[in-house]
Amino acid sequence: MSEHFLVTGGNRLEGEVLVGGAKNSVLKLMAAALLAEGTTVVTNCPDILDVPLMADVLRGLGCEVELEDSEVRITTPAEPKYHADFDAVKQFRASVCVLGPLVARCRRAVVALPGGDAIGSRPLDMHQSGLRLLGARSEIEHGCVVAEADDLHGANIRLVFPSVGATENILMAAVLARGETVIDNAAREPEIVDLCNMLNEMGAKVSGGGSSTLTIQGVRKLEPATHRVIGDRIVAATWGVAASMTRGDVRVRGVNHKHLGLVLDKLRTAGAEVTPEVDGFRVIQRERPKAVNFATLPYPGFPTDLQPMAIGLAAVAEGTSMITENVFESRFRFVEEMIRLGADARTDGHHAVIRGVPVLSSAPVWSSDIRAGAGLVLAGLVADGTTEVHDIFHIDRGYPRFVENLRGLGGVIERVGTE
């Protein structure tokens, strides 16, 4: 049995939606629990499929994990196991973030090469080279990343690209290394800052979070902590774009609007009234959106995770937009599905040119990843008739209570089972 969405277009989204904890943060915070013996508690966890999947990975490493409402309690043993097998990690990319904590805590890690979204090549070269500079040996053997270290020591590490995953793994390995580690050209995302804050609450000495240089003074031991996950800026922005596409009025709560500075500016350029609020923001779009150009870049640039939403907005905007993808080379697979829905779009390398049309036309479409799935639902909201969105398990991995939230804003969506 598989499921798909039936999305009926034509309704203006109005109301308020509450955003939960960030998917791109919570999974790394759960992995960080491996660094300390005892019980670590992570609160404000989103109700998404990837959280229980990460819980299964941690259980396979010897942890006891309890999931209750929006809280995860992780009890890590004195001697965690170091082998994360294929069955546990194949389903999602973030599972690779146990690599750094295992090397730090066990001085050994065997992690099967992870699965995840089909959005392009995401090699582990920078993860491995960073661990090697810290004193570990690391190779790919029999489909696994294998890393071993007799001792970990501080190092000066410069990333060739500000990779979020590499920054996280190197950071979590360095907190228990001897001496000082400096990571230059580090990722600056708010989720990296969230991880730095939790590590410091556990007794680590990390400075520079949110800048391109992280400095870590290694400590001998960390202690468990209780930490609240930051709000999910990608989910929040998805609702903001949905308001603009449907000429709606949506208040988004539970997120720091400062984490979305460029995104909200783009909505303003499209003609929306955007008002920052204490715990979120409000988007009101009174007329048809205007065409806007987008180029994805690492934070604080426009997020690659929002590229499908940018294309959806451009597809119904007045004028011609250019979308440039600078992060993942395969993310334009989404454009093929948008063309099914009547979008006037063409791609050339890492550029897409979209000429906006007043209304899209309903059709069956297929999700290739989490954000593409959400983008197709948004497109269905501005299409005539009813759009079928298939492979929606991707959306469940990143958007908690997606159907309930969309219906609460006045959207018409139904989850349907198919053989």
Side-chain angles (χ1 to χ4, degrees):
M1 178 72 77
S2 62
E3 294 180 317
H4 65 273
F5 286 146
L6 297 178
V7 184
T8 302
N11 282 22
R12 181 175 190 255
L13 296 190
E14 295 182 86
E16 182 176 286
V17 61
L18 178 64
V19 172
K23 168 192 178 292
N24 290 339
S25 186
V26 65
L27 305 176
K28 323 305 171 60
L29 302 178
M30 291 173 68
L34 290 165
L35 290 164
E37 179 183 355
T39 301
T40 292
V41 181
V42 181
T43 65
N44 195 35
C45 293
D47 182 17
I48 56 174
L49 184 58
D50 277 10
V51 169
L53 290 177
M54 178 58 83
D56 286 342
V57 171
L58 295 177
R59 290 186 185 109
L61 296 171
C63 299
E64 296 178 10
V65 185
E66 300 173 32
L67 304 174
E68 185 174 350
D69 296 327
S70 61
E71 182 175 291
V72 180
R73 300 178 65 85
I74 304 162
T75 302
T76 303
E79 296 184 7
K81 300 175 183 178
Y82 60 83
H83 192 159
D85 63 29
F86 178 72
D87 286 339
V89 306
K90 67 181 179 182
Q91 300 179 74
F92 66 120
R93 175 74 184 186
S95 55
V96 77
C97 66
V98 301
L99 178 63
L102 289 178
V103 172
R105 186 82 190 284
C106 306
R107 293 298 192 260
R108 188 175 186 187
V110 180
V111 180
L113 292 173
D117 292 330
I119 57 176
S121 174
R122 295 191 282 183
L124 300 179
D125 300 10
M126 284 187 285
H127 302 242
Q128 291 181 276
S129 61
L131 293 177
R132 290 183 186 122
L133 288 170
L134 292 173
R137 302 173 294 280
S138 182
E139 304 294 338
I140 304 291
E141 298 177 5
H142 308 293
C144 295
V145 186
V146 179
E148 296 178 302
D150 300 321
D151 183 41
L152 290 178
H153 54 76
N156 291 321
I157 301 170
R158 180 171 181 81
L159 301 180
V160 296
F161 177 84
S163 160
V164 172
T167 299
E168 290 163 340
N169 263 326
I170 296 167
L171 166 64
M172 287 190 279
V175 292
L176 292 179
R178 174 173 44 83
E180 181 180 271
T181 297
V182 177
I183 307 174
D184 280 320
N185 200 27
R188 300 168 56 187
E189 276 73 0
E191 295 79 15
I192 296 288
V193 179
D194 203 24
L195 177 59
C196 291
N197 289 340
M198 177 170 164
L199 292 172
N200 285 337
E201 290 160 10
M202 297 172 73
K205 296 180 180 179
V206 181
S207 60
S211 75
S212 59
T213 302
L214 291 177
T215 302
I216 305 104
Q217 303 291 340
V219 298
R220 188 179 63 83
K221 182 180 180 182
L222 296 181
E223 300 293 338
T226 297
H227 182 83
R228 179 180 174 84
V229 187
I230 61 171
D232 196 316
R233 62 192 171 98
I234 304 301
V235 172
T238 299
W239 297 124
V241 174
S244 183
M245 288 177 65
T246 64
R247 307 185 201 183
D249 179 356
V250 176
R251 174 175 277 115
V252 183
R253 296 179 47 241
V255 69
N256 186 342
H257 67 84
K258 294 179 181 178
H259 295 164
L260 288 165
L262 180 58
V263 175
L264 298 182
D265 282 345
K266 290 291 186 180
L267 291 181
R268 291 187 182 98
T269 303
E273 299 172 18
V274 181
T275 307
E277 298 185 348
V278 174
D279 66 340
F281 57 90
R282 182 180 181 183
V283 176
I284 304 173
Q285 183 86 38
R286 303 186 189 278
E287 305 290 341
R288 183 180 173 188
K290 298 180 178 66
V292 182
N293 295 330
F294 298 87
T296 67
L297 288 168
Y299 190 85
F302 191 86
T304 182
D305 279 353
L306 290 176
Q307 184 240 81
M309 293 68 174
I311 290 174
L313 180 62
V316 293
E318 185 177 358
T320 300
S321 304
M322 177 175 285
I323 316 293
T324 303
E325 174 55 55
N326 293 307
V327 181
F328 291 126
E329 71 275 9
S330 296
R331 205 146 214 171
F332 278 153
R333 292 174 58 181
F334 172 78
V335 176
E336 299 170 13
E337 300 305 302
M338 287 296 296
I339 292 173
R340 289 180 191 271
L341 293 172
D344 182 353
R346 62 180 177 83
T347 60
D348 182 8
H350 64 125
H351 301 289
V353 177
I354 296 108
R355 294 177 178 85
V357 297
V359 180
L360 296 174
S361 56
S362 56
V365 289
W366 281 262
S367 308
S368 57
D369 63 79
I370 297 170
R371 311 306 173 184
L376 290 171
V377 171
L378 266 56
L381 295 173
V382 290
D384 60 4
T386 299
T387 297
E388 295 180 12
V389 181
H390 294 268
D391 291 344
I392 61 173
F393 63 89
H394 289 296
I395 300 172
D396 292 335
R397 287 184 46 224
Y399 287 84
R401 296 176 50 80
F402 187 71
V403 170
E404 295 85 347
N405 284 327
L406 190 49
R407 284 178 175 167
L409 296 172
V412 180
I413 181 171
E414 182 182 0
R415 185 187 292 264
V416 179
T418 55
E419 293 295 337

